[in-house]
Amino acid sequence: VDPEEVPRNQRVLRRCYKMVTLLHTNRAQDYYFYVGARVVPGKTSEVALLYEMVDEFVRAVGRGIMKLLILDRGFIDGEAIGRCKQKHRIDILIPLKKSMDIFVDVMGLGKSEDAAWQDLPAPAPPPVPPPADRPEAVTRREAKRQRTLAERRPPAPPPPRRSLLDVRQLTTWQSCPVPLNVVLNREVEADGTEEFWALATTRDYGRPESVVELYKLRTTCEERHRQLKCFQELASFTARAFSLV
């Protein structure tokens, strides 16, 4: 609804904030440490703010501590990505927008007859071991229950077929002063529907699938944000002073 169409006496103004954080973790996801945070008015651009926090972090602890910065596409900034790589020796991993020239170029390479797509096996569901203190009788009963549920459950649709295309040393992104490696992901559903998405990184790697595995860490970081907003009631802090929050 256009705010101008709402009568002035019926408009409700609410405080709006943004929180930008630097969250540190490892591949095993053993810990999550907040090493930087900013709470700013909702109209503030979070892009410039994030890279300012990176600059401040490097000034505080030196280069070589932060090695890889995993971002979402909302933080796309070619010049800042180049500065992180050249000045701070920090590699960036970020998804590309489909409207970007570099994404269009990679898609063109993917549709060529010479494209070397690499098929990936369907991921197996992770095993769920029973609790160590569960009695053996209960374990047997639960196993029988799971078999019964599996027999009654309708067959699940086959998982999408996944494949990767590895494209190295791209310089199409004119505002980014460093070359990028791009992993183009293709997912084909059972009905033939195709979905493409791409990850760009300044990091050198041996296996393109390792780039996708690294990006999965962002999902766990998003869960940390959800915990703050939904369960630790961050939105209930109405003070405008960051020190009070």
Side-chain angles (χ1 to χ4, degrees):
V1 179
D2 186 351
E4 298 300 327
E5 298 179 0
V6 180
R8 184 173 297 275
N9 61 350
Q10 296 182 14
R11 298 178 189 174
V12 178
L13 299 179
R14 300 182 185 275
R15 288 196 181 104
C16 178
Y17 302 108
K18 286 181 180 177
M19 184 179 70
V20 182
T21 63
L22 289 176
L23 183 64
H24 175 47
T25 186
N26 63 354
R27 290 175 185 261
Q29 304 168 39
D30 295 325
Y31 50 79
Y32 297 94
F33 294 152
Y34 283 98
V35 297
R38 291 279 186 85
V39 178
V40 295
K43 294 182 179 181
T44 306
S45 171
E46 64 269 24
V47 179
L49 189 60
L50 171 76
Y51 292 105
E52 287 177 9
M53 292 171 61
V54 173
D55 293 339
E56 293 175 359
F57 182 88
V58 174
R59 284 197 298 268
V61 303
R63 292 191 298 181
I65 304 301
M66 184 185 297
K67 298 178 175 62
L68 176 66
L69 190 60
I70 303 176
L71 304 171
D72 64 32
R73 59 174 54 91
F75 294 98
I76 288 178
D77 185 323
E79 183 179 348
I81 290 174
R83 185 175 73 252
C84 286
K85 177 66 174 179
Q86 294 176 325
K87 183 178 180 181
H88 300 322
R89 298 200 297 264
I90 299 173
D91 283 309
I92 304 294
L93 174 57
I94 191 168
L96 297 175
K97 294 180 179 179
K98 294 184 178 181
S99 60
M100 298 176 67
D101 291 341
I102 187 172
F103 184 92
V104 175
D105 290 344
V106 173
M107 282 293 298
L109 293 173
K111 294 179 179 179
S112 69
E113 296 181 355
D114 300 330
W117 286 95
Q118 173 186 337
D119 293 329
L120 296 180
V128 181
D133 57 348
R134 177 177 290 177
E136 184 177 352
V138 176
T139 300
R140 290 197 303 268
R141 187 162 61 247
E142 176 62 20
K144 182 179 179 180
R145 188 179 75 89
Q146 290 298 331
R147 288 194 298 269
T148 302
L149 291 175
E151 293 172 358
R152 297 177 178 176
R153 189 180 298 123
R161 302 192 309 274
R162 299 177 59 238
S163 53
L164 303 177
L165 179 65
D166 188 16
V167 185
R168 303 289 182 109
Q169 298 295 300
L170 285 174
T171 57
T172 308
W173 194 352
Q174 296 183 356
S175 65
C176 184
V178 296
L180 295 171
N181 301 320
V182 178
V183 177
L184 181 62
N185 297 260
R186 178 176 62 187
E187 298 182 357
V188 183
E189 301 291 345
D191 60 359
T193 304
E194 291 184 327
E195 178 65 26
F196 294 90
W197 53 284
L199 294 172
T201 181
T202 59
R203 167 176 281 199
D204 292 327
Y205 49 85
R207 301 179 302 113
E209 56 268 32
S210 66
V211 177
V212 181
E213 294 167 2
L214 269 176
Y215 191 68
K216 290 179 180 178
L217 289 175
R218 206 198 111 203
T219 304
T220 62
C221 294
E222 293 292 340
E223 175 61 23
R224 305 280 82 71
H225 301 328
R226 192 177 75 90
Q227 293 286 334
L228 282 177
K229 291 187 292 186
C230 299
F231 302 105
Q232 298 184 25
E233 300 296 341
L234 182 66
S236 296
F237 289 91
T238 56
R240 290 180 291 174
F242 178 64
S243 58
L244 295 178
V245 176

